[in-house]
Amino acid sequence: MAGPIQYLERAARPRLAYRHVTGAGPTIVFLPGYMSDMEGGKATALFDWATAEGHACLLLDYAGCGTSDGLFAEQDLLDWRGDILDLIDARVAGPVVIVGSSMGGWLMLLAALALVARDGPARVAGLVGIAAAPDFTDWGFTAQEKAIILAEGELREETPYSDQPYVTTRRFWQSGEANRLLEAPIALACPVRLLHGEDDGDVPSAISLRLSAALASDDVQVTLVKGGDHRLSRDGDIALLIDTVARLATP
């Protein structure tokens, strides 16, 4: 089982819930998807593996999600990027391997760009995207849905992943549109591994191919998983994730 929940107190932002284990190599940082948290199967499996193998690992709940403080509707993409950077600054001294699932894959890129710009390229040892969804405020909504978000302030959608509807606020959507990445070169030179299910009904696998083309790195691999859905949470999918992370996180 994943380790005990700890909390990062902050003066100007909500308190953040996280799990952290110290160990060898770059610290593995797992970023969950939209309206998700660190209790998911991929995050837990990765943390348990890291603990067993002596690797450093950090899980977190964004503000307004899971057991972190704050209201979900008051957060946007850059707020959550700030949460990630605050926790890394507070708990991780050396390089990181960032693993991002779905929206977490967008945040993975934004956080990595900020870390590299501030600390230099050695700060980010690698990136692993799981159905990474950069720019989904652009391609993930119809023109009608975007109009509803702007006119009414939010869009509520039923989802098979939760008994609660997905809520997209105007605040979040506008921050996403202001921080799109796929239409210009992405100045990251570290190794990047992108895992994507061929049967993903939420994030087209073509997004991982677009991301691969946009990244400046020469070391980018896209793995399409036959029969894989958006979650990529089958036993074989989890094994692939752990093997992929292990190859980047082992010195």
Side-chain angles (χ1 to χ4, degrees), residues 201-250:
D202 297 296
V203 180
S205 57
I207 296 299
S208 281
L209 299 176
R210 286 182 62 190
L211 174 54
S212 174
L215 285 160
S217 174
D218 291 328
D219 186 3
V220 181
Q221 297 175 11
V222 180
T223 300
L224 297 180
V225 181
K226 185 174 182 178
D229 61 9
H230 181 61
R231 285 190 164 184
L232 282 183
S233 57
R234 301 170 299 181
D235 289 347
D237 302 332
I238 297 292
L240 172 63
L241 170 63
I242 289 173
D243 181 67
T244 302
V245 172
R247 292 173 186 272
L248 293 183
T250 303

Side-chain angles (χ1 to χ4, degrees), residues 9-26:
E9 302 282 352
R10 301 182 292 174
R13 288 278 295 149
R15 183 180 68 158
L16 293 178
Y18 69 96
R19 288 187 170 98
H20 182 222
V21 61
T22 58

